[in-house]
């Protein structure tokens, strides 16, 4: 080696050592990189994120006969629950969910409603389920069980334990309840020019989930935390005045009994049409000929399999239209919409079925094939709420607003209808996932008609403020004004960052679909999701789960200093960067030289393993005129002002 070359190399090493020495003064064991506990393998759940070889869940099938009496806004119901205990434990008692009891004046949810009211509160309505009769049919014995009510849950003590691994019994209940005008934005009724629209949900006693994670899941229904139920088959009927149309979860079993011949013909036409076909047009609403004649009341029979819930809507005010949904493998479903005449124009609900069709077709391609016979959008009192095969959206919505709420509620058909997470504890596992896929669907719909690209820094003010809360916060504990941030926006942004800036679209999509495939019609936990993503992508993401989901840490990367080898830009440069926050992320840095050359430098998140500063050796050939951290604004850097370095032109450059 020539002497001159040796000294140049020595000087470079000295420069690097000098800067590195400064870095080492701040070295700490980074909390972000400590192991994050996502569980060991059990017989029931694998550490890979898959259901274990002995995974089990209980089953509940329902036979329901409901009768609507509009004059009193009352529903009378008889229900038989066929319950199967697949668990490895004998069950001495069972728990039922009576979510309608939220609307009793002395319910916990009613007492926790703020004085000024709230979206999920009980607003001046005294209702709830009135049980007239309850019986257990088990092992040849029929009896009325001893019961204990704890707010919205009811405990049924059994005379004989329900045996493990396949024990069966039946629960028979007769009850009534009144439909509130405002049902915590989950159900309700709306007066229109041509009659009341009933949106009916949480309308029957439901089996609480008994699982391998918590045993009985008996968190009460307080309003914000949604639902967690067992899967099964529903056979049910709804009897209403003959002038009423009833749309519901599942497939209509007796169209010849409740539709006119003309409507049956139109329904068949819609099954083969990609364009809207009216089953009842606005000129026919309220007309005698629009309903079958000969009976004062009609019974609508529905069936739905592989579902954990059902809901329905009824009115004599409905315009009703439908179109075909094209599914993978040449299969089909039906998109339907029902709405009052007042909002039937194409600037509003006239495009609803187009929206339903576009949404379901996209998610079927992106995630998994839509499994139900129809997807129905109902215009009514409820602002936006999802149920299997049917969604309730505000009758006032139009244009981008109607697309947004329709697409969001239909995205829930995958989370949590198909992938049955525990909404009452983990709202982000359905709301956050759904908000994330909504952005993809909106970009796809009608060449991006309503698309507004997401800005990774849009939440900076909230993330860095004193009201920020962890994503893992239980829904009923989230502070006022924070629910959208905690359950929707922050988790959705996290998935966007993983997909676009950390893992990559192709591998992320593979993992996300695998999660859906593994846990369809099952009960995943957050750990199952975290483990599946790591398993399929080959990424260790403990730092991300801790920093983004569990903590309220913020990201603040900065360019601190630029120095040249032997003060000669043509010999190369050393760039010092810092991570001033506790949240770590990979580094994307754009370096621009005076000669016009611009280069993107990417560093893995492990850059921050040993501390919050790092030296990058950059092969410059000319003076550096600009260094920018996160030039495309892919990360939620809360102090973007220190992301840019430029030479100080008031003094000589180093």
């Amino acid at each position: 080696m020539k002497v001159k070359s040796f000294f140049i190399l020595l000087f470079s090493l000295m420069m690097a050592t000098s800067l590195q020495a400064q870095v080492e003064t701040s070295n700490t064991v980074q909390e972000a990189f400590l192991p994050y506990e996502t569980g060991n393998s059990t017989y029931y759940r694998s550490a890979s994120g898959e259901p274990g070889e002995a995974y089990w869940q209980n089953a509940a099938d329902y036979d329901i006969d409901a009768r609507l009496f509009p004059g009193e806004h009352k529903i009378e119901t008889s229900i038989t629950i066929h319950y199967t205990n697949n668990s490895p434990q004998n069950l001495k008692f069972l728990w039922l969910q009576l979510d309608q009891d939220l609307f009793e004046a002395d319910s916990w949810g009613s007492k926790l409603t703020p004085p000024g009211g709230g979206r999920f509160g009980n607003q001046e309505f005294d209702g709830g389920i009135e049980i007239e009769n309850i019986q257990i049919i088990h092992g040849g014995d029929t009896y009325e069980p001893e019961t204990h009510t704890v707010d919205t849950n009811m405990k049924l003590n059994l005379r004989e334990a329900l045996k493990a691994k396949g024990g069966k019994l039946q629960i028979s209940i007769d009850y009534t309840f009144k439909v509130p005008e405002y049902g915590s934005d989950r159900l309700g009724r709306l007066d229109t020019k041509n009659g009341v629209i009933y949106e009916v949900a949480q309308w029957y006693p439901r089996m609480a989930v008994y699982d391998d994670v918590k045993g009985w899941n008996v968190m009460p229904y307080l309003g914000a935390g949604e639902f967690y139920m067992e899967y099964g088959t529903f056979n049910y009927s709804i009897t209403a005045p003959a002038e009423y149309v009833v749309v519901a979860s599942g497939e209509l079993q007796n169209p010849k009994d409740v539709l006119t011949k003309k409507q049956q013909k139109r329904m068949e036409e819609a099954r083969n049409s990609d364009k809207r076909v009216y089953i009842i047009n606005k000129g026919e609403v309220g007309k005698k000929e629009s309903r079958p004649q000969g009976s004062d009341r009609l019974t609508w029979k529905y069936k739905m399999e592989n579902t954990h819930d059902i809901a329905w809507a009824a009115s004599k005010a409905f315009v009703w239209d439908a179109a075909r949904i094209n599914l993978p493998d040449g299969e089909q479903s039906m998109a339907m919409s029902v709405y009052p005449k007042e909002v039937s124009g194409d600037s509003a609900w006239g495009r609803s079925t187009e929206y339903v069709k576009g949404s379901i077709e996209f998610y079927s391609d992106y995630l998994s094939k839509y499994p139900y016979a129809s997807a129905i959008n109902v215009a009514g009192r409820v602002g936006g709420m999802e149920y299997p095969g049917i969604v309730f959206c505000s009758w006032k919505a139009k244009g981008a607003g109607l697309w947004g709420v329709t697409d969001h509620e239909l995205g829930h058909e995958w989370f949590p209808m198909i992938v049955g997470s525990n909404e009452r504890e983990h709202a982000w596992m359905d709301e956050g996932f759904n908000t994330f896929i909504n952005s993809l669907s909106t970009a796809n719909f009608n060449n991006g008609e309503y698309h507004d690209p997401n800005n990774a820094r849009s939440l900076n003010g909230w993330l860095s403020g004193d009201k920020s809360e962890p994503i893992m916060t239980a829904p009923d504990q989230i502070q006022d004004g924070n629910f959208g941030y905690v359950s929707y926006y922050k988790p959705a942004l996290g998935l966007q960052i993983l997909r676009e800036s950390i893992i990559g679209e192709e591998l992320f999509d593979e993992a996300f679909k695998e999660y859906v495939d593994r846990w369809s019609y099952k009960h995943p936990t957050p750990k199952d999701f975290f483990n599946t993503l790591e398993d399929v992508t080959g990424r260790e993401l403990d730092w991300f789960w801790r920093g983004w989901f569990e903590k309220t840490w913020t990201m603040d990367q900065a360019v601190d200093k630029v120095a040249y080898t032997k003060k000669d830009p043509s010999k190369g440069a050393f760039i010092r960067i810092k991570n001033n926050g506790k949240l770590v992320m990979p580094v994307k840095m754009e370096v621009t030289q005076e000669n016009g050359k611009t280069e993107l430098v990417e560093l893995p998140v492990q850059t921050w393993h040993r501390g919050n500063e790092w030296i990058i050796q950059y092969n410059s050939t000319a003076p550096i005129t600009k260094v920018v951290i996160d030039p495309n604004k892919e990360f939620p850097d809360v102090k973007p002002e220190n992301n840019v370095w430029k030479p100080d032109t008031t003094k000589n450059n180093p």
Side-chain angles (χ1 to χ4, degrees), residues 450-520:
Y450 300 123
H451 182 48
D452 183 13
N454 292 336
N455 181 349
R457 298 180 181 179
S458 61
L459 302 183
N460 278 4
W462 180 78
L463 291 171
S464 58
D466 57 7
K467 293 185 177 181
S468 178
E469 292 181 86
I471 289 173
M472 304 294 272
T473 306
D476 288 311
Q477 298 174 29
I478 295 172
Q479 299 300 307
D480 288 345
N482 268 359
F483 198 81
Y485 292 109
V486 173
S487 300
Y488 294 66
Y489 309 134
K490 186 179 180 183
L493 178 56
L495 296 186
Q496 174 186 312
I497 292 168
L498 284 174
R499 183 176 189 260
E500 297 180 2
S501 305
I502 295 175
I503 295 172
E505 293 183 6
E506 183 176 351
L507 198 53
F508 176 89
D509 289 350
E510 181 183 336
F512 203 54
K513 291 176 185 178
E514 180 66 19
Y515 168 71
V516 172
D517 183 62
R518 288 177 175 183
W519 291 98
S520 289

Side-chain angles (χ1 to χ4, degrees), residues 362-368 415 433 436-441 492 494-518 529 532-539 541:
F362 175 81
Y363 297 130
S364 292
D365 287 334
Y366 180 60
L367 295 171
S368 66
F415 309 106
F433 289 6
F436 163 69
I437 63 174
N438 295 159
S439 65
L440 304 178
S441 176
L495 296 186
Q496 174 186 312
I497 292 168
L498 284 174
R499 183 176 189 260
E500 297 180 2
S501 305
I502 295 175
I503 295 172
E505 293 183 6
E506 183 176 351
L507 198 53
F508 176 89
D509 289 350
E510 181 183 336
F512 203 54
K513 291 176 185 178
E514 180 66 19
Y515 168 71
V516 172
D517 183 62
R518 288 177 175 183
F529 173 69
T532 293
L533 252 65
E534 293 191 357
D535 180 52
V536 179
T537 66
R539 299 278 188 140
L541 295 167

Side-chain angles (χ1 to χ4, degrees), residues 183-394:
S184 295
D185 210 24
R186 313 272 191 218
L187 73 157
R189 59 181 200 265
L190 173 72
D191 290 321
T192 74
K193 292 180 181 179
N194 293 286
V196 177
I197 294 175
Y198 291 93
E199 295 171 302
V200 183
Q202 294 89 55
W203 61 285
Y204 58 95
R206 303 184 288 195
M207 291 303 305
V209 172
Y210 184 81
D211 62 24
D212 63 290
V213 179
K214 293 189 67 172
W216 285 109
N217 287 261
V218 289
M219 290 180 68
Y221 178 40
L222 302 178
E226 291 182 300
F227 311 109
Y228 186 39
M229 290 89 67
E230 299 287 15
Y231 286 94
T233 296
F234 288 73
N235 286 284
Y236 65 109
S237 64
I238 300 154
T239 301
E243 63 268 25
Y244 274 64
V245 167
V246 178
V247 293
S249 301
E251 186 169 14
L252 180 63
Q253 302 294 295
N254 62 332
K256 293 181 180 180
D257 297 336
V258 295
L259 302 180
T260 66
K261 290 184 178 180
K262 180 182 288 187
Q263 290 164 358
Q264 294 173 48
K265 183 179 178 181
R266 289 173 176 176
M267 189 68 76
E268 287 306 309
E269 182 183 346
R271 291 184 194 280
N272 297 290
S273 174
D274 288 320
K275 300 295 184 181
R276 172 187 62 195
V277 174
Y278 284 104
I279 312 304
I280 299 175
N281 64 43
K282 63 181 181 180
E284 296 169 333
V285 172
K287 299 293 179 63
K288 183 178 179 180
E289 59 269 23
S290 72
R291 305 300 305 121
Q293 301 302 303
S295 177
D296 291 338
R297 294 174 68 81
L298 294 174
T299 298
W300 299 67
K301 298 179 181 179
Y302 283 91
K303 181 178 181 178
M304 196 175 205
E305 298 177 333
N306 267 341
T307 184
H308 54 42
D309 198 10
I310 50 171
W312 53 279
S315 182
K316 58 184 179 181
F318 282 148
V319 177
W320 185 5
D321 67 48
R324 174 178 63 194
I325 295 173
N326 299 302
L327 300 176
D329 303 324
E331 296 187 27
Q332 297 177 358
S333 182
M334 288 281 284
M336 299 185 189
S337 300
V338 290
Y339 44 90
K341 290 171 63 173
E342 297 95 303
V343 294
S344 60
D346 283 350
S347 64
W349 276 80
R351 290 189 69 187
S352 170
T353 292
E354 176 192 354
Y355 297 160
V356 173
K357 174 181 169 66
S359 183
I360 295 293
E361 288 180 350
F362 175 81
Y363 297 130
S364 292
D365 287 334
Y366 180 60
L367 295 171
S368 66
K369 183 166 55 182
Y370 182 69
Y372 303 127
S374 60
I376 306 169
N377 198 11
V378 180
R381 179 73 170 83
V382 177
M385 190 60 203
E386 70 281 0
Y387 301 99
I390 190 169
V391 298
F392 300 160
C393 296
S394 172

